[in-house]
Amino acid sequence: MRLGLAHRYYPRSLLRLLAIGFAVVAAPLVLALVNAALSVQELAKQSESTIDQAAQAARGSRLLMEQALSMERIVRQYVILDDSGLLVDYMKIRANFKVTTSELSLLPLDEAQLAALNRTIDWEQALFEQLGKPLGTTTERAGLVQGYVTLSEMAKTVLNESNLLIDREVNRVRVSAADTQRELYMQLYAALLLGLLIAALFAFLIARPIGQLDRAIRQLGAAEFSAPVRVQGPGDLEYLGAQLEWLRQRLVTLEEQKVRFLRHVSHELKTPLTALREGAELLADGTAGALSAQQREIVTILKANGVQLQRLIEDLLDYQRTVAAIGQLEREPLDVADVARAVADAHKLAAASRSIKLEVSAYPTPAFADQAKLRTLLDNLVSNAVKHSPEGGTVTIGVSQSDGAACVDVIDRGPGIAHENREKVFEWFFRGARAPGERIQGSGLGLAITQELVRAHEGTIELVDASAGTHFRVRLPISEGAA
């Protein structure tokens, strides 16, 4: 079911997933840019329209005021001269005045400007009706002139309102521009946030199968074949996961074949080897008759090589059992210092036989580890140190807590490890120089097993540079409960 969902939501290839991710991440930014361009274009149109209307209102208001002043001037002349010919000029200017007021009324004026314009139109109409009557007394004539003076002032009020309108429109455009800018910023931030979220989502979708492949490869490299390899992602990565699963199954099969082979070979070799060793013992004891010096030397060689072969067979079996049990840790809170002292006590006799002094400097150091496997890895280190120390030498075992880790140092005063062999000492079946007085060389498994046991505890082991002898340092993590 999960694989079916993975197939449904993932494209067939990683390249296509990357392309889709890029397109989806870029989409909010592109939309934000397009919206910004449209908003700026709309703002420009609005500003242009607003400014054009304000300019028309200003021009019309100025023209209206000029026409009102012209009519006032003609009326003044008419009142004084009583020349009916002046009314012809007045009618022409009044016609233009009507056109101007009509044009102004069509503009989107605000309430104050529209009210001022209507008052001006109504006032002019009333004056025109009064002008059409015969001229009366001087007072009536003066009232008529005063009416046109008021008309000019009304026209001036319309002009002032137009100027205020321009200021208001400019301010409105400024506010609209600020609002548009703020809105664009918010859209940009939202687009960036959405882009980051989408990028994080696609990063997860891309990193998830790659991480699964990485973990699978690391498991195979660490010889952990129990967990099947499952990769959910694009088709090509799932194909790689399927290939790794095939490789895991093949490695499991080969590992089982190797185990069966080692068991079979070890079992088949033990029977004739036992007969050879017993025969050599019988010859050495003189059961078949007295031996010459040369024959005794040959029998001694047979016994020594029989013992070496027996040890190699046992080492092979121990290696197989140890490898199978390395990952099966039974951790418990313990004191590394107690384990180190127990290991030192176990090697006292071997050290005393060669006059080697064991020095233990162990401070209480809590840890959460498998006691049996911890003892095995320390036993391997101390055994090697005793074996490679010269007679009368000293082996130092130090246990302390450093940088949140349990630190164990095992130091000997032997010949040390050659520089060209320092990178090989932890390899399986690597055997260095023979220890002093060693008749049968080791199998080369001790340090390799020690390293695997340290790694199983999520620790590290290193070969520390030393002026003389060999210095191994093991660092094991300290759990919170143990600390």
Side-chain angles (χ1 to χ4, degrees):
M1 181 65 181
R2 295 176 65 184
L3 290 177
L5 290 176
H7 277 296
R8 181 181 300 176
Y9 292 111
Y10 276 101
R12 293 185 178 181
S13 67
L14 178 61
L15 182 61
R16 184 175 297 179
L17 177 60
L18 291 174
I20 294 174
F22 177 79
V24 174
V25 169
L29 299 177
V30 173
L31 290 177
L33 290 175
V34 171
N35 183 67
L38 294 177
S39 298
V40 171
Q41 184 179 5
E42 181 65 23
L43 179 62
K45 290 182 178 179
Q46 180 183 355
S47 302
E48 182 180 0
S49 175
T50 300
I51 293 174
D52 183 60
Q53 291 174 0
Q56 290 180 13
R59 287 195 301 269
S61 299
R62 284 194 299 271
L63 182 59
L64 184 68
M65 183 177 177
E66 292 174 358
Q67 291 168 350
L69 291 173
S70 297
M71 287 190 295
E72 177 189 350
R73 185 174 60 253
I74 292 174
V75 168
R76 286 179 181 275
Q77 294 174 359
Y78 174 71
V79 169
I80 296 172
L81 300 177
D82 197 12
D83 184 3
S84 58
L86 293 173
L87 294 179
V88 176
D89 295 335
Y90 177 87
M91 294 302 295
K92 292 179 180 179
I93 295 176
R94 185 174 184 273
N96 294 332
F97 180 86
K98 287 292 186 179
V99 172
T100 302
T101 55
S102 298
E103 292 177 351
L104 286 174
S105 63
L106 295 176
L107 296 177
L109 305 177
D110 61 1
E111 293 182 0
Q113 191 174 14
L114 185 60
L117 179 62
N118 289 332
R119 285 195 303 270
T120 303
I121 294 173
D122 294 340
W123 188 260
E124 190 277 332
Q125 181 65 32
L127 291 175
F128 177 72
E129 291 176 356
Q130 185 178 354
L131 183 64
K133 298 177 182 179
L135 294 176
T137 63
T138 303
T139 303
E140 292 177 348
R141 294 187 180 197
L144 181 61
V145 171
Q146 185 60 40
Y148 277 94
V149 171
T150 303
L151 179 64
S152 298
E153 291 176 353
M154 288 182 175
K156 185 176 182 181
T157 300
V158 173
L159 177 61
N160 292 334
E161 289 293 336
S162 298
N163 292 333
L164 292 176
L165 175 64
I166 293 176
D167 295 337
R168 286 195 297 270
E169 290 300 320
V170 170
N171 185 63
R172 189 170 69 86
V173 170
R174 184 182 298 111
V175 172
S176 179
D179 292 340
T180 302
Q181 183 182 30
R182 183 165 54 253
E183 181 180 354
L184 291 178
Y185 277 133
M186 293 179 62
Q187 292 177 358
L188 178 60
Y189 294 149
L192 288 176
L193 180 60
L194 182 60
L196 289 176
L197 291 177
I198 296 175
L201 174 62
F202 274 88
F204 169 76
L205 294 176
I206 294 171
R208 180 187 179 190
I210 294 177
Q212 292 172 342
L213 287 173
D214 178 70
R215 286 192 296 273
I217 293 172
R218 290 179 182 275
Q219 289 176 359
L220 294 179
E224 298 176 4
F225 306 134
S226 58
V229 177
R230 291 190 179 93
V231 177
Q232 299 177 3
D236 48 4
L237 295 186
E238 287 191 354
Y239 173 75
L240 290 178
Q243 293 297 100
L244 288 176
E245 172 61 14
W246 172 83
L247 177 61
R248 183 192 69 84
Q249 294 176 0
R250 286 289 299 157
L251 291 175
V252 169
T253 302
L254 293 175
E255 185 69 17
E256 292 174 351
Q257 292 175 355
K258 183 185 72 173
V259 171
R260 288 196 298 268
F261 171 76
L262 289 175
R263 288 177 180 173
H264 178 74
V265 170
S266 300
H267 180 269
E268 294 297 325
L269 288 177
K270 272 189 174 182
T271 301
L273 178 60
T274 301
L276 288 175
R277 290 190 62 187
E278 289 178 354
E281 292 290 343
L282 292 174
L283 289 175
D285 293 340
T287 303
L291 301 178
S292 63
Q294 187 175 8
Q295 290 173 334
R296 285 188 176 278
E297 183 178 357
I298 294 174
V299 170
T300 301
I301 294 174
L302 288 175
K303 288 175 60 179
N305 283 276
V307 171
Q308 182 178 9
L309 185 57
Q310 179 73 29
R311 182 175 177 181
L312 289 175
I313 293 173
E314 292 175 354
D315 285 342
L316 283 175
L317 294 176
D318 290 341
Y319 155 74
Q320 194 59 45
R321 285 192 294 268
T322 301
V323 170
I326 278 177
Q328 303 173 1
L329 299 181
E330 298 179 2
R331 301 195 185 198
E332 58 180 334
L334 52 82
D335 189 347
V336 181
D338 293 340
V339 180
R341 294 190 191 96
V343 171
D345 291 340
H347 287 273
K348 278 186 177 179
L349 291 179
S353 66
R354 298 179 52 217
S355 301
I356 295 174
K357 183 180 179 181
L358 284 176
E359 294 182 350
V360 180
S361 175
Y363 297 94
T365 305
F368 195 68
D370 186 313
Q371 184 169 357
K373 291 182 173 59
L374 177 59
R375 178 160 183 164
T376 298
L377 71 89
L378 294 181
D379 184 79
N380 287 341
L381 294 176
V382 175
S383 175
N384 279 347
V386 171
K387 184 168 61 175
H388 289 86
S389 292
E391 292 191 8
T394 302
V395 173
T396 302
I397 304 172
V399 180
S400 61
Q401 186 172 338
S402 174
D403 297 331
C407 186
V408 181
D409 293 277
V410 179
I411 307 170
D412 65 54
R413 307 296 188 276
I417 298 175
H419 181 74
E420 61 272 14
N421 293 334
R422 292 176 68 88
E423 300 296 329
K424 303 177 183 178
V425 292
F426 296 111
E427 295 180 1
W428 293 100
F429 303 104
F430 173 76
R431 296 184 291 183
R434 181 170 295 184
E438 183 182 31
R439 297 180 60 187
I440 301 176
Q441 195 172 13
S443 60
L445 297 175
L447 289 178
I449 292 175
T450 298
Q451 185 184 52
E452 293 301 321
L453 290 174
V454 171
R455 287 178 175 175
H457 283 85
E458 299 176 357
T460 60
I461 181 172
E462 60 178 326
L463 182 58
V464 182
D465 292 333
S467 57
T470 305
H471 181 180
F472 284 101
R473 175 172 294 162
V474 175
R475 295 176 63 87
L476 300 175
I478 297 179
S479 69
E480 294 181 1

